Amino acid sequence: MSGEAVPRLIVALDMPTVPEAEALAERLAGLPVCLKIGHQLAYTGGLDFVARLIRAGRPVFLDLKLHDIPRTVEEGVRSLADFGATFLTVHAYPQTVRAAVAGRGNSPLRILGVTVLTSMDDHDAAAAGYREGVAATVAARAADAAAAGIDGLVCAATEAADLRASLPPGVSLVVPGIRPAGSAAGDQKRVMTPAQAIRAGADHLVVGRPIAGAADPAAAARAILAEIEGVSRVAAPDAKP
Ligand code: C5P
């Protein structure tokens, strides 16, 4: 898949209620952003809200991070395939990716594989029973997912350069853990600024609290868009902003 038609900035609408998410989406209207809906909203009427956003022509990212036995994943993805969302996440376990790609079929829905959550470091990976550290696990899952026909991968900016170098160009890299200079990392452990992440190889940036929690979310989004305007990937893995 190519990321050209989809905005580079994805805003996570991580709000407790649909009216609050609606208000944030309204404040961001007119900006070139994709809106991401996750578990918090999906389970409180968020899917109806998503349908309204799609009818209004807003690009939407369903961050449902599916992971189940293959048949359940395949049928779940099939149920969403023609909903009109731009992106849907699944965990990038090989069985799950293969099932999701089968369920997506020829629909325009783009499947993104979450390699290793950006809230995890090597210590967390070991505690979860992973045999390898984060970097090796991300590389292995990404290669498997690309071979299975995934449309894109969710990874930390710190892995983007290596993944960009090893993956086919059609596989998009979607990067959360983005923190404009001076903003709090919160529970994210592998963070970069917007410009750093684009230079490292990110095609799309996912930003939540730095926009949703700002006094003026539209101004915060515009500042990020300005920061990345004209910025593109550089080959060096240790790109500086
Ligand atoms: O508030 P913040 O910018 O940390 O939000 C990041 C968003 O990206 C959240 O909605 C989170 O669920 C999502 N995400 C992530 N790490 C992943 C996949 C998605 O942080 N690996």
Side-chain angles (χ1 to χ4, degrees):
M1 137 198 167
S2 105
E4 280 102 61
V6 181
R8 288 210 287 183
L9 180 58
I10 296 167
V11 180
L13 300 182
D14 290 335
M15 315 295 280
T17 66
V18 169
E20 286 166 276
E22 237 160 358
L24 179 54
E26 190 53 41
R27 294 182 80 162
L28 300 172
L31 294 176
V33 298
C34 179
L35 302 171
K36 185 173 87 68
I37 277 78
H39 297 260
Q40 187 177 15
L41 266 191
Y43 307 141
T44 54
L47 293 182
D48 289 340
F49 169 51
V50 167
R52 288 199 295 281
L53 288 172
I54 290 169
R55 278 198 299 275
R58 312 280 298 267
V60 175
F61 175 162
L62 281 175
D63 191 9
L64 301 180
K65 295 190 178 71
L66 305 185
H67 180 50
D68 207 313
I69 61 170
R71 180 182 180 280
T72 304
V73 170
E74 182 172 339
E75 297 306 331
V77 172
R78 189 163 286 127
S79 294
L80 285 170
D82 294 317
F83 191 51
T86 302
F87 292 122
L88 170 70
T89 44
V90 303
H91 281 282
Y93 290 75
Q95 275 191 342
T96 299
V97 169
R98 287 194 295 273
V101 168
R104 175 260 270 145
N106 293 321
S107 83
L109 180 65
R110 301 167 184 200
I111 304 295
L112 301 177
V114 177
T115 52
V116 176
L117 295 169
T118 45
S119 58
M120 293 176 74
D121 58 17
D122 283 341
H123 174 80
D124 299 306
Y130 294 16
R131 273 179 307 159
E132 316 245 35
V134 168
T137 305
V138 168
R141 288 190 180 169
D144 283 346
I150 199 94
D151 299 301
L153 289 160
V154 181
C155 65
T158 44
E159 291 116 34
D162 285 346
L163 289 181
R164 190 68 287 159
S166 64
L167 293 172
V171 177
S172 293
L173 296 182
V174 177
V175 174
I178 300 298
R179 291 294 179 265
S183 53
D187 54 357
Q188 297 284 15
K189 291 181 179 166
R190 302 182 341 259
V191 301
M192 274 194 198
T193 67
Q196 281 175 323
I198 294 284
R199 288 194 177 102
D203 295 295
H204 305 279
L205 308 178
V206 180
V207 182
R209 288 161 286 187
I211 291 176
D216 183 343
R222 276 195 298 271
I224 293 172
L225 290 166
E227 179 178 332
I228 63 175
E229 192 180 349
V231 176
S232 55
R233 180 170 70 90
V234 295
D238 58 348
K240 297 283 187 292

